[in-house]
Amino acid sequence: MSETNENAPMIVDAPVTLSTLSETSPELLLNEIDRRVVKIRPMSTPVDQISRWVGSRHAGSMVVDYYSVDTKPIRARVTSQGSSSKPRPGSEYSARDISTDFDRIFQPSETLIVPSVTVGSEEGKPQPLILYVIRKHDDGITVISPNNVSGVGFEVPDLPVGTEIVRMGRAATELDVQTGLFDCVPQKQTNYCQIFKAQVERSTMVKIANKEVGWTLSDQEEAAVIDMRLGMEKNFLFGARSRFTDPQKGEEVFLTGGIWNQTGNEWNYARGSFDNKKLIELMRQAFTENAGSSRKILIGGSGFIEALHQLDYARVVTASETVTKWGIDFTELRSKFGKLYVVLSEVFDQCGHSDDAMIIDPEYITKYTHVPFHSKMLDLRASGQRNTDAVVITEASCLVLRYPKAHLKIKAGNPNTTTE
């Protein structure tokens, strides 16, 4: 059991020290404790702060299995195509086999649109090419073109490699009872709850001595919680999921995986080149094609926040007054795509991400708690260790992203690096 420097400032509020109720019914006090913990330096730990405000789910073990799912992709690009042919004798339509870079998103009876190809239609006006999937096979799909009257026999025109195809709705026949399966099934993911701890002690002599200021064990607890939450914030953001045995103690240790690595949705920019145009591009990627909320949170390092401050905001994107949510003071950025609540995170700077940031959708972030946040008094006198009052603060928890693509990580590159 490690000793703590009693001269260092440390703080936790009174309800956290209700160890009796925490032991008998930890779930009963969980929400109340979280509501009090969030009052301790909320601006320093925005991710932990938000996760406590939105509430957590109980985890039955240190290993958390959860399901994450994103919206089904809507577009693919042509990689190859076969020759045009009749799907069956006597058919007025010509069919063509097409292979794409994402064949599995297409199903029979779906309609597709090819925005870059214009054909003549029955209305006599040019229209984008519409395709109808009549068959799916190992090498791609077979399609017909019901709206192309430009050619002979509703022929599917040549589609160059790289042509974009976008999924539309299904079109069933009158006698159809079944349809193709929706194959965007939830994917099982795993994360580990990490046991976070803090301990403070105060000797009996210090306890009975006259002090110039009203410094108590509860004050020490509060500062300990500040340090504990800062450590948790770093693990929740940038931690690497791992499970190993401590070589000295011979006991198993769980490390939680951070949300930074849970999303594959990424936007890149070159340092020193962030301007209003880049901000619009960022807004577009953050709010489109992911079925997320229209209000999201941007947490960034000092370098990225500095780049935001240097922009001249126009009518398209405006920086409004400070908005307080979840106990945090945000600066609100408004655009036609959605609203961003912006806050500086010192954790990004400390972990080497000062020029990076992350956009989080608070609707789709979940905290799992195996051991709720609680404190326990230790009787070190009775055990013959030290003549001190000791409090150990513990929580075993992790964060997960339910819809990974609803979140976005922003990474800075060198000025000579090509970015999208």
Side-chain angles (χ1 to χ4, degrees):
M1 188 176 300
S2 62
E3 292 189 22
T4 307
N5 182 2
E6 61 190 43
N7 295 322
M10 309 209 142
I11 304 186
V12 142
D13 38 30
V16 178
T17 63
L18 296 176
S19 56
T20 304
L21 282 179
S22 296
E23 291 175 1
T24 57
S25 183
E27 294 299 323
L28 183 64
L29 284 180
L30 178 59
N31 290 336
E32 176 63 21
I33 289 175
D34 277 344
R35 290 297 175 263
R36 294 179 181 270
V37 170
V38 295
K39 296 179 181 178
I40 302 176
R41 285 187 63 181
M43 299 294 293
S44 299
T45 54
V47 173
D48 179 65
Q49 180 80 2
I50 294 166
S51 69
R52 293 184 188 277
W53 269 99
V54 300
S56 64
R57 298 183 181 181
H58 176 68
S61 71
M62 293 289 288
V63 180
V64 174
D65 292 328
Y66 65 100
Y67 288 87
S68 64
V69 63
D70 284 315
T71 54
K72 190 175 182 179
I74 63 170
R75 55 170 54 88
R77 295 187 180 275
V78 174
T79 56
S80 64
Q81 60 181 327
S83 58
S84 180
S85 60
K86 299 290 185 180
R88 59 183 176 83
S91 173
E92 62 178 321
Y93 298 100
S94 295
R96 188 184 289 270
D97 291 334
I98 296 175
S99 297
T100 71
D101 56 359
F102 217 163
D103 288 335
R104 71 178 184 85
I105 68 173
F106 301 113
Q107 293 289 343
S109 80
E110 279 187 326
T111 57
L112 316 175
I113 186 172
V114 187
S116 61
V117 178
T118 302
V119 296
S121 65
E122 293 180 355
E123 289 82 4
K125 299 179 180 179
Q127 292 181 348
L129 175 65
I130 300 296
L131 302 176
Y132 178 79
V133 182
I134 61 173
R135 187 169 66 92
K136 185 174 183 178
H137 46 83
D138 293 339
D139 298 325
I141 55 177
T142 302
V143 297
I144 62 173
S145 175
N147 78 323
N148 182 20
V149 299
S150 303
V152 179
F154 297 94
E155 188 174 38
V156 179
D158 288 335
L159 301 176
V161 173
T163 301
E164 186 178 77
I165 299 177
V166 179
R167 291 175 48 244
M168 298 175 73
R170 296 183 186 273
T173 67
E174 185 178 355
L175 299 181
D176 278 343
V177 176
Q178 293 181 309
T179 186
L181 295 176
F182 184 80
D183 62 354
C184 192
V185 296
Q187 300 296 313
K188 188 175 182 179
Q189 306 287 341
T190 301
N191 202 356
Y192 298 147
C193 289
Q194 183 169 328
I195 302 175
F196 301 96
K197 281 184 176 287
Q199 180 172 327
V200 292
E201 295 183 26
R202 183 179 60 170
S203 71
T204 302
M205 295 303 294
V206 171
K207 179 180 179 180
I208 64 177
N210 292 326
K211 292 179 282 294
E212 295 182 2
V213 295
W215 196 252
T216 66
L217 185 62
S218 182
D219 296 320
Q220 288 180 302
E221 285 182 278
E222 185 178 337
V225 170
I226 292 174
D227 183 72
M228 180 178 173
R229 292 187 69 192
L230 281 170
M232 295 172 70
E233 185 85 356
K234 295 167 189 174
N235 285 104
F236 287 158
L237 273 168
F238 303 112
R241 181 172 63 91
S242 183
R243 184 176 182 176
F244 62 96
T245 300
D246 186 310
Q248 294 294 326
K249 302 175 182 177
E251 298 176 359
E252 194 170 35
V253 179
F254 291 86
L255 301 183
T256 191
I259 61 175
W260 177 263
N261 296 317
Q262 291 181 28
T263 176
N265 195 10
E266 183 176 315
W267 185 82
N268 300 282
Y269 77 100
R271 289 183 179 88
S273 66
F274 192 83
D275 52 19
N276 287 76
K277 181 179 178 181
K278 287 291 183 183
L279 178 59
I280 299 298
E281 293 176 4
L282 171 61
M283 290 281 195
R284 178 181 179 181
Q285 183 163 338
F287 289 101
T288 58
E289 295 188 17
N290 53 51
S293 308
S294 60
R295 299 183 181 185
K296 299 186 179 183
I297 300 163
L298 189 152
I299 303 172
S302 59
F304 185 82
I305 299 300
E306 180 184 12
L308 279 179
H309 272 293
Q310 293 175 350
L311 298 181
D312 293 326
Y313 295 100
R315 294 174 58 187
V316 179
V317 176
T318 59
S320 64
E321 300 295 328
T322 301
V323 176
T324 301
K325 290 182 177 291
W326 306 288
I328 303 174
D329 295 330
F330 295 97
T331 299
E332 185 181 59
L333 288 182
R334 297 182 179 181
S335 73
K336 303 296 184 183
F337 296 104
K339 296 179 181 179
L340 282 180
Y341 297 130
V342 181
V343 65
L344 169 68
S345 171
E346 57 187 277
V347 166
F348 272 76
D349 287 15
Q350 294 170 1
C351 294
H353 292 271
S354 60
D355 294 320
D356 300 335
M358 187 171 187
I359 294 177
I360 299 172
D361 191 330
E363 297 293 329
Y364 302 118
I365 184 170
T366 301
K367 181 177 182 179
Y368 284 94
T369 303
H370 180 53
V371 179
F373 193 101
H374 70 284
S375 65
K376 182 178 182 179
M377 296 295 299
L378 299 181
D379 191 353
L380 300 184
R381 297 184 188 85
S383 62
Q385 298 181 60
R386 285 184 294 278
N387 189 23
T388 60
D389 293 324
V391 176
V392 175
I393 307 162
T394 305
E395 178 177 295
S397 58
C398 65
L399 291 185
V400 301
L401 302 180
R402 298 205 314 273
Y403 293 86
K405 287 188 178 179
H407 314 267
L408 176 68
K409 56 183 176 183
I410 303 167
K411 297 180 68 175
N414 296 324
N416 58 352
T417 301
T418 302
T419 59
E420 295 180 356

